Amino acid sequence: MFKTYFKLAYRNVIRDKAYSIINISGLAIGLASSILILLWVQNELSYDKFHKNAGQIYRISGDFGDYKAAVNAEAMPAGLKAQIPVVENTVRFSKISTVLFEAGKRKFEEKRVFYADPSFMDVFSFPLVQGDRATALKQENGVLITQEMAAKYFGNQNPIGKILRKDNREYVMVTGVLANVPANSDLQFDFILPMVILQKTDKYPDNNKWEDFNFYTYIQLAQSFDPSTANLSRLVKQMTQLFQSHSSMEVVFQLQPLTKIHLAPARLGDFPGHGNAQYVNIFFIVAILILIVACINFMNLATARSARRAKEIGLRKVAGAMRGQLILQFLSEAVFISFLSLFLTLAVVWLFLPAFNEIADRKLSIPYSDVRFWLSLLGIALLAGLVSGSYPALFLSGFNPVKVLKGNVRSMGSNLLFRNALVVIQFTTSIILLIGTAVIYNQLKFIKDRNPGFEKANLLYMPTKGELWNKQQTLKNELKQNPLTSDFAITSDLPTNLLSGNGSANWEGKDPNLQIVYQLMDVNEDFIDVFKLKLVNGRSFSRSFPADSNNFMVNEKMLSIMGLNAATAVGKAFEFTGYKGTIIGVVKDFNFKPVQQAIEPLILRYNKDGGFLVVRTLPGKTDATIQALSKISQQLNPAYPFKFDFIDQDMANLYKGEQNMGNIFNLFALLGIFISCLGLYGLSAFMAEQRTKEIGVRKVLGASVLNLVYLLSSGITRLILVAIVISIPLSYYAVNSWLAGFAYHINVGWVVYFTASLAALGIAWLTVSYESIKAAIVNPIKSLRAE
């Protein structure tokens, strides 16, 4: 029986090639779009699940009031393991470091270097392809490298036992080679060095390790531990009690499951490449909507073709076919077309996956060996076929054979309300996608064009590593002598994504219960001028005032925390990180973090330790300035390669996730609208086919082509207007929920909604006009020949 049904389905596909091509391609585009999005969603949800003990690993993070950090106290891991039995193991990571490595003539500055405890190899399951897992990180002068780095430094040689020179000083030996880190790992590194190396170079060996929040801490809990909310809360309480026995700091600790860190709200100091759960939800919904739109398109096209098959159905019923058999036949046809679409879908996904990876900045691949993936695809194709074929099957099988054979197809109970509802759903989805596309584009443009409070263009920087800071006076003299480099400042950090902070600030009248972490930048005398910041009151650091080495500048937000105003703040005594001085200037608020975050209190301290040399280049002289800096760097710091970058490029990179999200959304919004147009084309063909004789009569009675086009398109126009009414409040809620994630964002005015609605109407009219005009210009003799 099924063999017969599929044979009939094949014949129908071959008989009406144009219909079949539109139907199969529309469904294939919908399936391909959904699969690409779902591959991306699955990748985002898969982060860190490959570790053997992923379910037992948690990261400890701390909240300091509104300051939510990803780091933990240096001494806590050892205390937890010693006093809380359920904590089986702990491991600390340093913040990510930039280190110069040298092997023979190969010398590179590596930006993905961590220091970690030896327990790193026990807690995490990163495969070790060479070396002894038990001892690889226990050797004090050892280093773990990835396979990529092994090939980079040693080619085809065995890297175990090979020596790397670190920062032109000490030497380290390769004790293990790790497999390249999977793309779906929140920890991305190329080198792992023993924590003991970092501890030996600790600048502050006598400070309280319970108050040194500069490390990431992961704990592995016992297999027997039940990770219920109550048990986790009890464990956090024990951690807090342990901490309070060693420190008076007010910290609210959090336990973050390893597999949920990537999509959890970003914390200060989180690793680069952090995900966004909101985007995952948005794209999952978009994938479902596109699939629904594709199925609706299938239904409308199948219904549009119903008049051509009406007599076939009537004859089958007269010959004894039951309605159930007809339903099964049409569902079989739909499933057959769905599986044909699936084959085309796989080709489309394979062909466009590299381009999609480029847009999404991912390394997605088709999991050919994953049985669940193929079963899921078959399930999606079967479901799409059954859903998209259900209405045509029920509609066509319900034809009355007597009326059909008399030629009265129009009155066959075609469920007009249901079919119109499908069109409304399609265009509601399309309008929401259009509005979303416009809002994302405008928000990204706002971010790009927004003035952060300083002039970000033409700011070139390089790190003051190696001998540069040891020769700082010579460096400054060389820079001042060249007009290309004379406009420079030296800062501890860059005002792009500032991470340095401390809570130990004191002033007269401070609330003793105030627990805030204050952002910190060390700057020199030229910082205000080079960055073109505005002083609200007071002055900048000056070479004329030697005492400025202990003085401070603050921003307006800091003054609001202190309960002061700019006029009275200058000259106030202020203490920070053990330094006592006065406030000499108030800087107008400027952004030093992404615009998702509100401006925080900032303290500017005199720079004594270097960091970054920032040069404001002259217009049109950027290349010449780079060459001048390169020459100075090679003269004063020949052991280090010259590295430079631009402030505005760094700021643009902060919004790479949003940019990728916008690109993906725009792509699939266009595809969703295209599929909707195919469905609308199907409906217009259906309407024109049903009203062929009516059109012929109207033409005989003198109706013009314009009158007939209006007649055929007015019904569609009403449906689009209903879709507009439904979509505007839904899109208003959706876009404002997304914009709420930005501390600074655009205001979406009525123009966006009006333009998207007008665009939807225009697209609908263009789509319908072809079939409408074609029907209107047909010779009425052909339409009325059978009468």
Side-chain angles (χ1 to χ4, degrees):
M1 181 175 66
F2 283 105
K3 183 179 178 181
T4 303
Y5 288 156
F6 283 114
K7 188 182 292 184
L8 288 170
Y10 172 74
R11 287 174 180 171
N12 283 318
V13 167
I14 296 300
R15 187 184 306 131
D16 198 340
K17 293 183 177 63
Y19 157 81
S20 300
I21 289 171
I22 293 173
N23 216 344
I24 291 170
S25 60
L27 197 55
I29 292 170
L31 283 169
S33 301
S34 298
I35 289 169
L36 287 172
I37 294 175
L38 291 174
L39 281 174
W40 182 86
V41 169
Q42 188 273 334
N43 176 260
E44 288 292 289
L45 295 174
S46 71
Y47 267 69
D48 295 310
K49 290 184 178 178
F50 59 86
H51 292 291
K52 180 182 177 182
N53 300 311
Q56 283 75 50
I57 302 174
Y58 293 78
R59 184 176 75 178
I60 304 175
S61 54
D63 296 352
F64 306 81
D66 294 332
Y67 182 91
K68 300 183 183 301
V71 291
N72 183 43
E74 180 181 353
M76 181 174 275
L80 290 174
K81 192 173 180 182
Q83 299 189 32
I84 302 179
V86 75
V87 178
E88 267 192 5
N89 214 339
T90 66
V91 59
R92 293 172 304 168
F93 281 94
S94 69
K95 293 180 180 178
I96 196 164
S97 302
T98 299
V99 176
L100 181 70
F101 285 109
E102 181 181 359
K105 294 182 179 180
R106 294 182 174 92
K107 180 186 287 190
F108 303 98
E109 195 171 53
E110 304 293 352
K111 295 183 177 182
R112 303 201 310 174
V113 182
F114 283 112
Y115 294 85
D117 290 322
S119 52
F120 164 81
M121 301 302 293
D122 302 319
V123 174
F124 294 99
S125 304
F126 294 108
L128 188 72
V129 295
Q130 286 181 266
D132 184 354
R133 194 173 191 91
T135 61
L137 206 52
K138 291 182 179 178
Q139 189 169 323
E140 287 192 9
N141 66 335
V143 61
L144 298 181
I145 64 176
T146 61
Q147 288 176 301
E148 184 181 353
M149 293 300 107
K152 180 178 178 179
Y153 283 87
F154 306 110
N156 296 323
Q157 300 177 45
N158 181 2
I160 299 297
K162 290 287 193 294
I163 301 299
L164 288 169
R165 191 182 184 196
K166 174 178 172 286
D167 285 335
N168 293 316
R169 294 192 299 271
E170 63 265 35
Y171 294 86
V172 292
M173 184 173 70
V174 178
T175 54
V177 178
L178 293 160
N180 291 330
V181 180
N184 61 341
S185 171
D186 201 47
L187 291 167
Q188 292 291 327
F189 56 84
D190 295 314
F191 296 81
I192 299 288
L193 290 160
M195 183 67 74
V196 66
I197 295 178
L198 190 65
Q199 291 172 327
K200 284 182 177 179
T201 59
D202 192 346
K203 294 180 182 179
Y204 311 105
D206 299 324
N207 70 338
N208 187 347
K209 302 299 182 183
W210 284 92
E211 295 185 353
D212 185 6
F213 282 75
N214 281 305
F215 295 86
Y216 303 96
T217 299
Y218 293 81
I219 62 173
Q220 180 183 335
L221 302 179
Q223 289 278 353
S224 58
F225 180 79
D226 176 18
S228 64
T229 303
N231 287 339
L232 288 173
S233 298
R234 194 176 300 113
L235 180 56
V236 169
K237 186 177 180 181
Q238 290 176 296
M239 289 166 40
T240 304
Q241 290 173 346
L242 174 65
F243 179 78
Q244 288 175 344
S245 67
H246 294 85
S247 173
S248 60
M249 288 180 66
E250 291 289 333
V251 184
V252 177
F253 291 101
Q254 306 287 344
L255 280 175
Q256 295 182 279
L258 176 67
T259 55
K260 295 183 179 178
I261 292 173
H262 179 67
L263 292 179
R267 289 176 162 268
L268 185 68
D270 253 325
F271 300 123
H274 198 74
N276 189 312
Q278 187 185 43
Y279 295 168
V280 172
N281 294 332
I282 288 172
F283 284 124
F284 182 76
I285 292 170
V286 168
I288 300 300
L289 288 176
I290 288 177
L291 197 56
I292 290 171
V293 166
C295 290
I296 290 173
N297 168 56
F298 184 102
M299 292 181 190
N300 282 336
L301 287 172
T303 306
R305 195 166 167 260
S306 61
R308 301 179 187 177
R309 303 193 63 180
K311 290 187 179 180
E312 173 198 341
I313 296 160
L315 287 171
R316 286 183 180 277
K317 281 198 168 186
V318 169
M322 304 296 291
R323 187 176 186 186
Q325 292 174 311
L326 292 171
I327 289 174
L328 195 57
Q329 177 191 336
F330 288 117
L331 285 177
S332 299
E333 287 187 21
V335 170
F336 179 74
I337 290 175
S338 180
F339 276 95
L340 285 179
S341 300
L342 179 60
F343 288 117
L344 181 59
T345 295
L346 291 173
V348 171
V349 171
W350 177 80
L351 187 63
F352 288 98
L353 188 57
F356 180 73
N357 279 332
E358 189 73 23
I359 293 171
D361 192 27
R362 286 290 183 271
K363 297 178 181 178
L364 306 178
S365 60
I366 299 173
Y368 294 103
S369 59
D370 189 347
V371 176
R372 289 180 300 176
F373 172 75
W374 295 108
L375 290 175
S376 299
L377 282 189
L378 292 174
I380 290 172
L382 180 62
L383 182 63
L386 292 174
V387 170
S388 57
S390 58
Y391 172 64
L394 294 170
F395 169 58
L396 296 173
S397 63
F399 281 177
N400 186 318
V402 176
K403 291 182 178 180
V404 166
L405 295 175
K406 284 182 178 180
N408 188 1
V409 179
R410 188 178 177 187
S411 61
M412 292 299 99
S414 56
N415 194 333
L416 186 62
L417 180 63
F418 180 74
R419 207 171 59 248
N420 288 345
L422 296 181
V423 176
V424 170
I425 292 171
Q426 276 192 315
F427 270 84
T428 298
T429 303
S430 298
I431 294 167
I432 291 173
L433 291 175
L434 278 172
I435 292 171
T437 299
V439 170
I440 291 171
Y441 171 80
N442 287 327
Q443 175 64 14
L444 293 176
K445 188 175 185 299
F446 168 80
I447 290 171
K448 182 180 178 181
D449 298 341
R450 183 176 183 272
N451 183 357
F454 60 88
E455 290 189 17
K456 61 185 178 181
N458 300 318
L459 287 178
L460 170 72
Y461 72 86
M462 70 174 187
T464 58
K465 301 195 72 172
E467 292 298 310
L468 279 180
W469 193 244
N470 295 332
K471 302 174 180 176
Q472 56 178 294
Q473 194 54 54
T474 305
L475 170 66
K476 292 175 182 178
N477 292 337
E478 290 286 340
L479 292 168
K480 289 175 183 177
Q481 289 172 10
N482 190 330
L484 293 171
T485 60
S486 59
D487 194 8
F488 70 90
I490 299 173
T491 68
S492 60
D493 302 89
L494 300 171
T496 51
N497 192 15
L498 187 61
L499 300 179
S500 298
N502 198 295
S504 58
N506 285 296
W507 61 88
E508 185 181 350
K510 179 187 176 184
D511 183 351
N513 297 317
L514 187 63
Q515 293 287 338
I516 294 179
V517 172
Y518 310 96
Q519 301 302 294
L520 170 67
M521 277 185 71
D522 291 343
V523 301
N524 75 338
E525 302 89 346
D526 304 300
F527 173 71
I528 299 293
D529 293 333
V530 171
F531 281 82
K532 299 191 182 300
L533 291 163
K534 295 181 180 178
L535 277 173
V536 179
N537 195 24
R539 60 176 178 84
S540 177
F541 296 117
S542 172
R543 295 175 182 85
S544 303
F545 297 89
D548 276 356
S549 58
N550 287 328
N551 288 335
F552 306 91
M553 290 190 290
V554 297
N555 68 347
E556 293 173 298
K557 179 66 177 178
M558 184 66 196
L559 288 189
S560 67
I561 297 293
M562 297 173 67
L564 301 173
N565 59 57
T568 59
V570 175
K572 290 285 185 182
F574 191 79
E575 181 180 350
F576 187 60
T577 61
Y579 292 91
K580 293 182 179 180
T582 59
I583 296 173
I584 61 170
V586 179
V587 180
K588 189 173 180 61
D589 282 342
F590 64 96
N591 282 99
F592 44 83
K593 288 188 179 180
V595 298
Q596 286 93 330
Q597 302 175 44
I599 293 175
E600 299 175 10
L602 174 69
I603 298 170
L604 298 175
R605 191 175 59 182
Y606 189 77
N607 192 340
K608 301 174 184 177
D609 298 312
F612 296 92
L613 169 68
V614 184
V615 176
R616 177 167 291 282
T617 65
L618 297 171
K621 299 290 186 180
T622 301
D623 289 340
T625 305
I626 293 170
Q627 292 175 8
L629 281 176
S630 175
K631 184 178 179 181
I632 293 171
S633 177
Q634 290 169 5
Q635 287 176 349
L636 301 181
N637 199 27
Y640 273 78
F642 172 62
K643 292 284 185 180
F644 70 92
D645 219 320
F646 298 91
I647 296 285
D648 54 357
Q649 288 183 0
D650 283 1
M651 295 184 73
N653 289 336
L654 292 176
Y655 309 106
K656 200 171 182 180
E658 281 71 26
Q659 189 66 55
N660 292 336
M661 183 258 194
N663 293 337
I664 297 171
F665 196 91
N666 294 345
L667 171 64
F668 291 111
L670 290 173
L671 289 174
I673 293 163
F674 174 73
I675 296 169
S676 295
C677 290
L678 284 179
L680 192 58
Y681 174 82
L683 184 60
S684 64
F686 170 78
M687 292 169 60
E689 194 164 22
Q690 278 196 320
R691 306 179 74 170
T692 301
K693 290 184 174 61
E694 177 191 346
I695 292 167
V697 171
R698 287 180 180 273
K699 285 199 74 173
V700 168
L701 294 176
S704 66
V705 172
L706 187 61
N707 293 141
L708 294 173
V709 170
Y710 172 76
L711 175 71
L712 292 172
S713 61
S714 58
I716 295 295
T717 302
R718 285 192 290 270
L719 296 179
I720 305 303
L721 291 174
V722 172
I724 289 170
V725 171
I726 295 172
S727 63
I728 287 178
L730 292 176
S731 57
Y732 176 84
Y733 172 78
V735 300
N736 281 283
S737 297
W738 179 65
L739 290 173
F742 295 85
Y744 308 96
H745 57 76
I746 60 170
N747 294 314
V748 184
W750 64 269
V751 174
V752 172
Y753 300 101
F754 176 78
T755 305
S757 302
L758 199 62
L761 270 174
I763 291 168
W765 285 334
L766 285 173
T767 305
V768 172
S769 62
Y770 173 74
E771 281 295 331
S772 301
I773 294 170
K774 190 172 77 170
I777 62 176
V778 169
N779 191 325
I781 295 173
K782 293 182 180 179
S783 305
L784 300 173
R785 183 176 293 165
E787 294 298 323

